[in-house]
Amino acid sequence: MDDSYQNNINQQGETYPTYGGGEYTYPYQTDYPPQEEEDAASDDTEGHDEDEQMYEGEYQGIPHPDEVKEARRAARREARMKARMAAEVEEETLPEQYESIMEDCGHGRFQWTLFTVLGLALMADGVECFVVSFALPSAEKDMCLSNADKGMLGLIVYVGMMIGAVLWGGLADKLGRRQCLLYALAINSIFSFLSCFAQGYGIFIFFRLCSGIGIGGSIPVVYTYYAEFLQMDKRGEHLSWLCLFWMLGGLPGLQKNSWDFFFFFFLEFQTARHDEAWMILKQVHDTNWRAKGEPERAFQVSQIKTPQTQDDEFIEIQSETGTAFQRFMVRQMTLVKQVMKNMMSLAAPDLRLHGLFIAIVWFTMAFSYYGLGAWFPDQIKYLQFEEYESNVKIFHREKVERFHFNFTLQNQVHKEGEYIHDRFINIEIRNVKFEESLFENCYFEDIRSTDTFFENCTLKNTVFYNTDLWEDSKFINCKLENTTFLHPKKGCHLNIQEENDTLIYLVSFLGSLSVLPGNIIAGLLMDKIGRLKIIGGSMLGSAGCTFFVLLCFSQWAVVLFHCLFFAASAAAWNGIEVVTVELYPTSKRATAFGVLNGTCKLAAIISTFIFGKFIGITKIIPIILSFSALVCGGLLAFKLRETREVILQ
């Protein structure tokens, strides 16, 4: 090898005298090199950038730093691409693997037990939706509710359910379906119990709001939970059968805290299960085949691939420096961020369009269903009132003296009459009005009145004993001379017929019962003709029923189309819920269902408020609004993605 120092001399083109002889010769140098040469060399290198200096190293076989960096970047890109491709392949195989496992587990005792347990939870939601219409007359009398207060009592439950649907749906994807369902029903149980003892209207409204927040999570969690234990070819049918429990919750005879039974069965059912996915599916497999008489059939799956969930795991504080409260707050804040992130991910490009379509279908269906559900009973009552008013009896300038009224006075108007030494004892006076009449030396005892008033009347030497005829509310511009009110009845006395309580019961009962044929049809056809045809056809059929209400002028005709509307709508609800479950992946399924169900309750609030404003004014606007919403939603439903043969992701 040539001497590097010698090569350096040769490259510079200069020679130095050598000292000594023989094989090794050394150039002669002075102790101190000339300063001018050092300065010249320094001047030669001054101004050269780093790249030019490294070029010499490159010439000697050393890679350029930029090339090293670029090679590293390329290696990282390639590694990320391979990891992404592997993750995509894994994500594609996970749903197929799970579907194969569920087919091997079969459909049997496990699913039917879960069906019953979750159905009881769903029944509680039906109770909350319908119980107000049954309890409202009693609450009216006990709490002196005005029309505005009655409307608020109905709306506050929907507000709570809207909040609860979004809240529990989002938490169910992070904390788990079973845990959130237990929490939600526990809250509903506690506040429903407390509302029984509420003495004032304000605290009663608060308890009903909290109860609604609790029960609001039942629909999103129940449907997502049950769907994940069903095979693809059975999802539509059995989710439709599950809807029958919601109908049962609307039947008055079953509205006695159905969630009490839920707690017993659900907790007992869960004691044999483990949190690990393999153990859960093995339990499903063994339960079903043992019930079918094949206990020796072994679970063939040795391990289950599970997706990476680092983003879904809580951040644990492992150090001992933080307090228990700090660790708790970090976990809760992390949970909130994860839930919000999951909600925002629903607007991802691959979900955005179909999510918008299904949200519109949810909204239009709920707008018509809940709006007309509240409008039909009120419209029937109004028609009954009109018919009642048309039969009013008018008495003009009658004179009654020393007569004992011991029979009911109903639907009468008395003008300019005279009542001298008359006795009204232990009778009911309903929808009676006395105008410009004279009562002298009369006696009223044990009177029960409804919608009864005295206007511009004169009362002399008259006694009211134990009656609900109040001086400050029942007597309008009247002249009272030596008139006495003894032991007046306390409490609220409403201007409403007693028959209306029975009418509300009957209409609500028939509406709930008419859902049965729609559920049966949806269950039988959901997996045969597809979800979209069920939704679109049902909504368009409901629109037709709504349109014919315009031609109804009797209360029983309205009752008939009220039942037809609910029967036609049931299939659409089943289809909407099934499509929602199948449209979203597991990590977003409950969140999406909760948001959409919250949209449903928002539509219920809006439509109930709007439709209530037109009672007694016109029926054209509510009918046109409902008809238009159902037609638009039904046509848009055909644009959704058919999910009949889609494997749950």
Side-chain angles (χ1 to χ4, degrees), residues 410-427:
Q410 180 177 350
N411 200 20
Q412 301 173 358
V413 175
H414 299 263
K415 296 183 178 180
E416 300 180 8
E418 293 183 10
Y419 305 91
I420 312 297
H421 292 285
D422 293 328
R423 297 172 65 84
F424 302 80
I425 299 178
N426 195 23
I427 65 172

Side-chain angles (χ1 to χ4, degrees), residues 3 5-6 9 16-29:
D3 185 84
Y5 190 73
Q6 186 66 33
I9 296 174
Y16 295 92
T18 60
Y19 179 80
E23 182 177 356
Y24 301 98
T25 59
Y26 300 93
Y28 172 78
Q29 290 183 309

Side-chain angles (χ1 to χ4, degrees), residues 48-59 64-66:
H48 287 233
D49 57 15
E50 184 179 355
D51 292 340
E52 292 177 350
Q53 290 181 5
M54 295 306 299
Y55 178 78
E56 294 182 0
E58 253 182 61
Y59 180 78
H64 195 286
D66 289 345

